[in-house]
């Protein structure tokens, strides 16, 4: 017979990471783009396009880069897999081409890697909701503030919609590369051509999944003589 351990998890534990991904990427875009340029999350209902230049952020794919690694305890198994996160950035209005080029250049640079590292470090232990939003820093202001000082908490990114919507901790992303900006034909409701440029941002994220596990820390063995007759199974 086998004696199993107690306090075994009864369900799978998985921390949602999609809101953290969009929060981190949107913080990057709000820092690089002009402060007056809205950055919205794509594929939303009942959301009108802003007047003037704006940006849309849409997650496209999450591709595993390897087979999951795992570590075990007496009660649970922790799986970890690295993923390639692809996000599409669409920029509309005058200056969209220059903004797309600036985003792609900074995302794959050392400055972009340092930005996400400082963003994840500075928001650890911060409250996830109830904090009043403030205006984001510009790229020059942020770089001057963090170049010769330890990581400081960055301002919360304002929500696109009004109200007291909860905020999420940004995910710890590692930029990989950005695709070249491309011009996408866009015709407005007035049948006029408008500037629209797109590029894809690829970043790496480590996703963790915790599964319940039952172990046997103790076992009792019963020795049976080999010459003893076997018991016939009951009908």
């Amino acid at each position: 017979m086998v004696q199993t351990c107690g306090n075994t998890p009864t369900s799978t534990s998985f921390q949602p990471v999609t809101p953290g991904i969009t929060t981190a990427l949107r913080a990057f875009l709000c820092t690089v783009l002009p402060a007056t340029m809205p950055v919205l999350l794509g594929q939303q209902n009942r959301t009108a396009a802003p007047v003037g230049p704006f940006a849309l952020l849409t997650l496209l794919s999450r591709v595993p880069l390897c087979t999951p690694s795992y570590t075990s305890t007496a009660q649970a198994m922790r799986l970890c897999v690295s993923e390639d996160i692809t996000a599409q950035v669409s920029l509309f209005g005058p200056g969209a081409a220059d903004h797309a080029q600036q985003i792609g250049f900074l995302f794959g640079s050392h400055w972009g890697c340092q930005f996400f590292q400082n963003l994840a470090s500075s928001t650890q232990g911060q409250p996830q909701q109830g904090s009043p939003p403030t205006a984001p820093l510009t790229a020059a202001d942020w770089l001057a503030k963090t170049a010769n000082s330890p990581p400081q908490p960055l301002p919360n990114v304002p929500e696109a919609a009004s109200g007291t919507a909860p905020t999420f901790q940004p995910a710890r992303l590692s930029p990989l590369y950005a695709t070249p900006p491309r011009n996408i034909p866009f015709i407005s409701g007035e049948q006029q051509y408008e500037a629209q440029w797109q590029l894809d941002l690829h970043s790496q994220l480590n996703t963790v999944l915790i599964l319940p596990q039952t172990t046997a820390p103790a076992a009792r063995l019963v020795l049976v003589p080999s010459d003893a007759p076997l018991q016939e199974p009951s009908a």
Side-chain angles (χ1 to χ4, degrees), residues 20-31 111-126 142 146 151-157 168-173:
I21 296 173
T22 55
T23 300
L25 291 174
R26 187 170 183 271
F28 173 79
L29 296 177
C30 288
T31 304
W111 183 90
C113 298
Q114 191 68 31
F115 174 87
F116 286 102
Q117 180 179 354
N118 282 271
L119 181 65
S121 300
S122 61
T123 53
Q124 290 180 356
Q126 298 293 326
W142 183 90
T146 58
Q152 299 293 331
L154 293 177
N156 293 329
V157 180
F168 296 91
Q169 297 286 354
R172 177 63 175 91
L173 298 178

Side-chain angles (χ1 to χ4, degrees), residues 18-217:
T18 301
I21 296 173
T22 55
T23 300
L25 291 174
R26 187 170 183 271
F28 173 79
L29 296 177
C30 288
T31 304
V32 173
L33 296 175
T36 57
M37 188 172 183
V39 179
L40 306 179
L41 186 63
Q43 298 180 344
Q44 295 189 85
N45 296 323
R46 303 181 183 274
T47 302
V51 178
F54 67 96
L56 285 180
L57 174 64
T58 306
L59 293 183
L60 296 183
S61 64
R62 297 177 57 177
V63 180
L65 298 176
C66 60
T67 56
S69 62
Y70 70 92
T71 55
S72 299
T73 63
Q75 291 85 24
M77 174 184 295
R78 181 180 182 272
L79 302 175
C80 181
V81 62
S82 297
E83 296 182 277
D84 180 1
I85 308 296
T86 304
Q88 177 181 281
V89 180
S90 303
L91 299 130
F92 299 85
D98 294 333
H99 293 323
Q101 184 69 18
Q102 182 180 3
I103 291 172
F105 178 77
L106 291 177
F107 183 80
S109 66
H110 174 73
W111 183 90
C113 298
Q114 191 68 31
F115 174 87
F116 286 102
Q117 180 179 354
N118 282 271
L119 181 65
S121 300
S122 61
T123 53
Q124 290 180 356
Q126 298 293 326
Q128 296 187 358
Q129 58 182 0
S131 300
T134 57
L137 297 175
T138 63
D141 293 339
W142 183 90
L143 184 60
K145 182 179 179 181
T146 58
N148 299 318
S149 62
Q152 299 293 331
L154 293 177
N156 293 329
V157 180
E159 296 291 335
S162 59
T164 58
T167 58
F168 296 91
Q169 297 286 354
R172 177 63 175 91
L173 298 178
S174 298
L176 297 177
Y177 65 94
T179 61
R182 52 192 181 273
N183 185 15
I184 306 298
F186 178 73
I187 301 177
S188 65
E190 291 75 21
Q191 301 300 314
Q192 300 293 318
Y193 280 106
E194 303 243 351
Q196 179 188 188
W197 284 74
Q198 290 182 356
L199 73 161
D200 297 338
L201 305 180
H202 291 257
S203 54
Q204 181 177 333
L205 174 70
N206 294 332
T207 304
V208 176
L209 177 65
I210 299 177
L211 300 175
Q213 178 174 262
T214 302
T215 57

